[in-house]
Amino acid sequence: MSTAPDPGPREPKPALVFDDPLDQPSADDTDRGWGDRPSGDSASDLKRFLDEKPPHHI
């Protein structure tokens, strides 16, 4: 005979939500645009410009 493990208390499965997903804000819905960084001084702006400059603009 085989001994089955004792079925102890299990965690409940998450409930299914049938709401309209477009009614809820997503993680990327912000007032800031993509890649926006907090405003800073001109030194940080220059660093950002040099970091993001394509290689053919050297």
Side-chain angles (χ1 to χ4, degrees):
M1 278 204 219
S2 65
T3 57
D6 184 25
R10 290 192 255 172
E11 295 181 25
K13 294 183 179 179
L16 294 176
V17 179
F18 292 101
D19 294 339
D20 185 4
L22 299 178
D23 287 342
Q24 303 169 2
S26 66
D28 61 347
D29 288 338
T30 62
D31 290 337
R32 295 173 46 192
W34 290 353
D36 283 355
R37 296 181 184 179
S39 61
D41 58 339
S42 60
S44 64
D45 290 341
L46 176 62
K47 182 180 182 324
R48 177 181 177 190
F49 172 74
L50 294 174
D51 288 345
E52 296 179 358
K53 186 169 53 168
H56 60 275
H57 284 265
I58 294 179

